[in-house]
Amino acid sequence: MREILPVLREWYAAGVPFGLATVVARSRSAPRDPGAALAVGPDDEVVGSVSGGCVEGAVFELAREVVETGEARLATFGYSDEDAFAVGLTCGGEITLLVRPVTPARDTAFGAVAESVAAGDPVTVATVTDGPAPRGATLGVWPDRVAGTLGAEGLDAAVTADARGELALGVTELRHYGPHGQRREDAVSVFLHSFAPPPRMLVFGAIDYAAAVARIGDFLGYRVTVCDARPVFATPKRFPPGVEVVVEWPHRYLRATGTDARTVVCVLTHDPKFDVPLLAEALRRPAAYIGAMGSRRTHDERTRRLLADGLTPAELGRLRSPVGLDLGARTPEEVAVSVAAEIVALRWGGSGAPLTATAGAIHPGPDGRAKSEV
């Protein structure tokens, strides 16, 4: 959704109706997670994807239909693995889509939501998908305000409370309520789509490997900061546009910087005077991933120093060192792929093994949620 929002904002600002299809549930090997979206706008222009191409033709027609009728639709595409290729969803599995018309008159909160997402401000969009409530009705929920309605005051109140909790975790999921927000009932299905600010990637050590890691971190959607105490190396021109570059002692910068359960920390200095105090700080605070570059000898010496600094074995157990997966990487770009692969594997609970050597479902779970939050 983030990728297609710039186009949707243009259509919305121009008052042009468009059909918006969003994945609200998936199972087994379905290719796209909840929140993936496709939209059909003026002159049948299409942006986005909900299945990687498998059922896009059918969704295109549904999107055109809801614009013409003004009525939202719920559609499920699901086939067994045996006949999936013949029918269209070539990966097997099942996806459920909410396809709804969007106009300024029908969805008054869409413009404000799109602006918040573009600015990196946290917001959750709650949308009725099924039950005795207006299908397609939306409620925009920010930490300090709401916009729109799901059709009942009690439902709005219950969903607002849940949406703010989900927003804090960056979770997107389908929830169920009674017609007036009763939590022990499941008559009304509401899709909570959280747009949390992008997670942070903190890269320490402004070396050539850092430039490659920063580039792939930006590609993966992280808000990247590179920090180094040496101004001759920490210059913006050495890094991709949009990457923040800070000249400061790494441990001092981290001490003054907030981290959370999605933050990634990559320590590429492999210099004890930088990385020991930095890792001592990092391993005692929230983070999804903490990796440090260096040889095994460097790692052993670093571990000895960190233990002497008072870190516990449990805290040291969080450290990924030497950093990255064993890909045989040599160049900075290859090492960056190795680091990114380890981050992704940890995020989704992957083993890092070749898929040809594994069995069972490829994706982590029937609801598409990660085993750990990054």
Side-chain angles (χ1 to χ4, degrees), residues 248-329:
E248 178 59 282
W249 276 81
H251 71 284
R252 292 176 184 167
Y253 174 77
L254 184 59
R255 190 175 297 155
T257 300
T259 63
D260 60 26
R262 302 185 301 152
T263 303
V264 166
V265 177
C266 297
V267 179
L268 309 181
T269 53
H270 53 79
D271 183 331
K273 69 176 178 291
F274 290 124
D275 60 19
V276 170
L278 171 60
L279 287 170
E281 176 69 29
L283 292 168
R284 291 180 171 126
R285 58 165 55 225
Y289 175 91
I290 302 170
M293 177 176 281
S295 67
R296 298 193 188 281
R297 179 181 298 176
T298 298
H299 169 73
D300 291 342
E301 174 62 18
R302 191 162 47 206
T303 298
R304 185 186 66 78
R305 289 172 179 262
L306 289 168
L307 285 170
D309 200 44
L311 266 76
T312 67
E315 289 169 335
L316 281 170
R318 301 176 60 205
L319 178 60
R320 301 278 171 156
S321 175
V323 70
L325 297 185
D326 180 13
L327 304 183

Side-chain angles (χ1 to χ4, degrees), residues 27 30 32 35 55 64 73 76 118 165 195 223 236 276 293 298 344 361:
S27 68
R32 302 301 303 274
V55 299
R64 295 179 64 190
R73 292 274 305 275
T76 297
F195 293 92
R223 182 163 63 93
V276 170
M293 177 176 281
T298 298
V344 172

Side-chain angles (χ1 to χ4, degrees), residues 143-175:
D144 59 351
R145 69 187 194 279
V146 299
T149 180
L150 303 181
E153 184 177 344
L155 183 59
D156 287 349
V159 170
T160 295
D162 289 347
R164 285 177 174 152
E166 301 287 344
L167 185 57
L169 299 173
V171 173
T172 289
E173 67 178 2
L174 199 62
R175 287 216 172 196

Side-chain angles (χ1 to χ4, degrees), residues 92-156:
E94 181 177 279
I95 55 174
T96 298
L97 308 175
L98 177 69
V99 190
R100 64 187 182 94
V102 179
T103 65
R106 180 183 297 274
D107 191 341
T108 57
F110 187 90
V113 167
E115 289 179 8
S116 291
V117 174
D121 297 329
V123 61
T124 293
V125 181
T127 309
V128 175
T129 65
D130 204 7
R135 178 176 288 161
T138 60
L139 179 71
V141 181
W142 291 262
D144 59 351
R145 69 187 194 279
V146 299
T149 180
L150 303 181
E153 184 177 344
L155 183 59
D156 287 349

